[in-house]
Every structure is written in C-alpha cells, then in structure tokens.
Amino acid sequence: MKIVYSDRHRLHAGQREFYRGELVPCFEKPERADFVLEAVKARNIGPILEPKEFSVSYIERVHAARYVRFLEKAWEMWSALGNTKDALPSVWPIRTFRDDVEPDYFIAKLGMYSYDNGTPLTSGSWSAAKLGADVTLTAQQLVAGGERAAFALARPPGHHAGPDFLGGYCFINNAAVAAQTFRDQGAQRVAVLDVDYHHGNGTQTIFYERADVMFLSIHGDPKTEYPFYLGHADEKGRGAGEGYNWNYPLPAGSSNAAWFDALTDATRRISAFKPDALVISLGVDTFAEDPISKFQLREPEYLRLGAHLAALELPTLFVLEGGYAVAEIGHNVAHVLRSFDEGAS
Ligand code: FKS
Ligand code: ZN
C-alpha cells in the first residue's frame, strides 16, 4: 500500500514531559517516525509519497475554530512573554470553574485547551501537527480515490485530541479529520477502530452523539491506565449516537487471547454497520516490550491483526498513533501493513 510521509514531522520535538514526579525526556520523539519509515522501506510496503497541503477548514470540521486559532498562535504568544522553553500547562478549569470565558493569560488559555501536562507545546508543534493532518488527508484521498488501503505515517499522534483540547502528545485528531472527510466526500458511514494501547478519548468525544461514524477502541482499562477518565465499557454513545460507540477496556497485562476476542467482537460490529470506509488508529504500544504500556502483542499477533483487518474487505486508512519501544515500533507497524496487503484482495 502507499505510504504518506514528510520528514518535517521533526518540527515537533518536545524536550521533557512529567513522569512520576519528574521531568523526563519525551517518549513521543521524532525517532519514532524514523524507525517506522525505515521498516516500511526495508519491507517494501509500498511507495512513499509527500503530503499535499490542505486548508485548515478540514481540521475545523472536527475541532473548534477557536481551538485551532489558539494552536496557530500559541508559540507566538508564549515566546512574546520571553519564554524559550516548551510550554506545559499547570492549571485547568475543572468542574466548578468557568470555561466559557477565555482568559487572556497564556498559561490559563493553555489550561483551557488541554487536559494533561505531558504534552509539550513547542515552536514547531502547530506546523508539525498541521503537517500530520496533511499527511493523513493525503492518504485519505488515496483511499477515497479507490486505493484498497493507505498508511498515514503521521506524528505527532492524534487520538487523544478532542474538539477543543490537546493532551496525550496529541494536538489534531488525524483519524477524526480523515473520518469526517470521508463523510464530507460522500461516504454514508465510516468506522474508526482504535487499536492503540490507550483509549482514543478524543475520537470518542468528537463522534459520541453521531450515528454516521462508529467508534470502537480496544485499550488498557482506564481504571488504571491513561487517559483514566474515559474509555469504560458502558460508554455506548448518546442521543442519535447511542449504539455507535464501543469500548473494550482490558486489564493491564491481559492475554493476547483476550485482546483478539475483543478484536473479533469489534470487527463483527464493524461488518454489521456496513461502513463505506474504515480508519484504523494504529498504535503499536500494545507491544510486549513497550516501555509505558502493558499488553503482550508481538510479531505473530501483529501479522494476525493485519490479516484480520484485511478480511473486513473495506477501503482502509491506517493512521499512526502511539508505540514507544523505539526500534521495534517500525517492525510492528510493518508486520500489520504487510499482512494486511497479503490478505487484501
Ligand atoms: C507521563 C504519563 C502520561 C501519557 C501517555 C500518552 C499515550 C499517547 C498515545 C498516542 F497514540 F497518542 F501517542 N502518559 N506523562 O500512545 O496514546
Ligand atoms: Zn497509546
């Protein structure tokens, strides 16, 4: 399958994130994409294309305009205050606070548009995030244009970014932007299947009240795993969206058998939904050796995942999300894509 990639992802390179009471080097670093690129090249997954440039109006179909304006201007505002280090939020308007009045002070604005302090905003974050969306949309256009599948080798990742918030290393929800674009270009129904270790809280929130985009996620149980406050099994959608959201929280340490039981149930629901396109939020932090996650997938499981997805026989867009055992993430991604291609007709 064709792969879309730009080396300008490295414009986003956060210095440090909070981890267990101290600032440590960011897990989500440019080398991740380098390793994925190397592996897909080595295994001849397909030609590598540069992204086209898309208008921000595609992004604003799923993100609030005022959030996008904030991201565009954030570094300018932060550096105008004399700052040179990455911006990290430190205060949030939770519960009884008001979120309808946007404060003037930068750190207060950043708190309003974020939900964690692990997502450094750097001088190049907006450019890289916009480019990640362009990478994703370029791959989406290939699939909309008749390709069986395509891979958006994007970073920073996207699935934690919601309508008007960043977090979990994510700024723009690439998978959601792509799903919405499929809809806007004539697809009646789109399914988004999130196989990253972490619940795709941003994607779920964006589509929670809608019946035209089904969201399904297999992830570490939020009772103990990030992002903690969303991703439970009883979240099934609201209003028109009821019955179009399916979460498969699994305890940390779950067996591969349990993971594939969840995948089988999820893909059964996708088939019954009869979508015109499928978007896969492809995180490989489900890997047994991943430094921040606790599932046990390895090469045979990634091959099995690719074959299982191919069997759905749907136009499929793969979008890169997480995965941190840096050298291995490339192989894990390549295994999924290769076995998908082998199983695809
Ligand atoms: C350290 C504890 C917080 C955040 C984990 C974020 C996971 C991100 C991801 C994505 F795909 F978005 F990259 N850990 N500050 O893997 O889901
Ligand atoms: Zn993840």
Side-chain angles (χ1 to χ4, degrees):
M1 73 180 73
K2 289 182 176 150
I3 296 153
V4 185
Y5 169 80
S6 161
D7 63 11
R8 285 177 298 144
H9 67 81
R10 57 186 94 259
L11 288 167
H12 175 70
Q15 296 296 304
R16 303 250 183 282
E17 65 172 88
F18 278 103
Y19 187 69
R20 299 188 175 175
E22 59 178 343
L23 283 165
V24 304
C26 289
F27 289 97
E28 202 292 294
K29 49 189 174 186
E31 290 88 322
R32 297 178 56 249
D34 298 338
F35 281 109
V36 175
L37 181 69
E38 220 171 276
V40 294
K41 275 186 181 163
R43 287 172 205 271
N44 287 317
I45 303 296
I48 300 176
L49 314 178
E50 281 288 323
K52 300 195 167 113
E53 204 180 319
F54 290 80
S55 143
V56 289
S57 60
Y58 288 83
I59 295 169
E60 288 174 6
R61 294 285 292 136
V62 300
H63 290 291
R66 67 173 200 166
Y67 170 65
V68 178
R69 295 292 90 71
F70 168 77
L71 287 180
E72 282 172 341
K73 290 272 169 288
W75 186 259
E76 201 179 304
M77 291 187 272
W78 178 237
S79 57
L81 297 170
N83 294 301
T84 52
K85 301 227 168 108
D86 299 350
L88 284 174
S90 52
V91 60
W92 293 272
I94 66 153
R95 292 186 276 280
T96 54
F97 286 99
R98 285 179 66 174
D99 63 5
D100 58 322
V101 185
E102 184 176 300
D104 293 332
Y105 190 61
F106 177 81
I107 280 294
K109 278 191 206 286
L110 182 57
M112 186 141 180
Y113 291 121
S114 65
Y115 73 90
D116 76 0
N117 67 354
T119 312
L121 195 146
T122 77
S123 61
S125 295
W126 164 252
S127 304
K130 166 67 171 61
L131 195 74
D134 286 346
V135 163
T136 306
L137 283 164
T138 304
Q140 182 274 335
Q141 298 288 77
L142 292 170
V143 177
E147 296 276 341
R148 172 73 168 84
F151 174 45
L153 205 177
R155 73 166 285 282
H159 71 152
H160 298 304
D164 60 357
F165 55 82
L166 61 90
Y169 317 151
C170 302
F171 300 89
I172 296 174
N173 194 315
N174 298 316
V177 171
Q180 181 63 45
T181 304
F182 275 120
R183 279 286 292 118
D184 291 342
Q185 294 177 344
Q188 293 300 304
R189 286 173 304 282
V190 180
V192 181
L193 172 62
D194 191 320
V195 297
D196 186 277
Y197 180 78
H198 305 96
H199 177 246
N201 60 294
T203 320
Q204 168 168 316
T205 301
I206 288 169
F207 297 117
Y208 204 59
E209 300 189 16
R210 290 171 50 173
D212 57 332
V213 179
M214 178 180 274
F215 177 69
L216 311 95
S217 181
I218 307 168
H219 49 268
D221 190 332
K223 283 187 173 158
T224 61
E225 306 307 294
Y226 185 92
F228 307 117
Y229 308 112
L230 207 67
H232 300 286
D234 64 350
E235 297 155 15
K236 297 202 168 142
R238 188 181 303 122
E242 202 172 336
Y244 297 92
N245 192 89
W246 297 97
N247 283 325
Y248 299 88
L250 301 174
S254 282
S255 68
N256 290 331
W259 197 89
F260 277 95
D261 282 348
L263 181 70
T264 303
D265 197 75
T267 52
R268 179 181 60 76
R269 289 192 191 280
I270 292 170
S271 290
F273 180 57
K274 299 197 194 319
D276 301 306
L278 174 63
V279 178
I280 305 293
S281 268
L282 181 60
V284 292
D285 40 12
T286 47
F287 182 49
E289 315 288 335
D290 191 273
I292 65 171
S293 310
K294 300 173 187 109
F295 284 166
Q296 303 181 39
L297 278 65
R298 292 182 184 276
E299 173 171 350
E301 286 72 40
Y302 289 114
L303 294 171
R304 190 173 160 198
L305 169 60
H308 196 103
L309 296 176
L312 284 168
E313 297 187 337
L314 292 168
T316 303
L317 172 67
F318 290 91
V319 182
L320 184 63
E321 303 283 1
Y324 305 95
V326 167
E328 293 90 336
I329 75 167
H331 303 292
N332 296 336
V333 167
H335 291 321
V336 176
L337 302 181
R338 188 179 43 129
S339 90
F340 180 97
D341 275 344
E342 285 169 4
S345 42

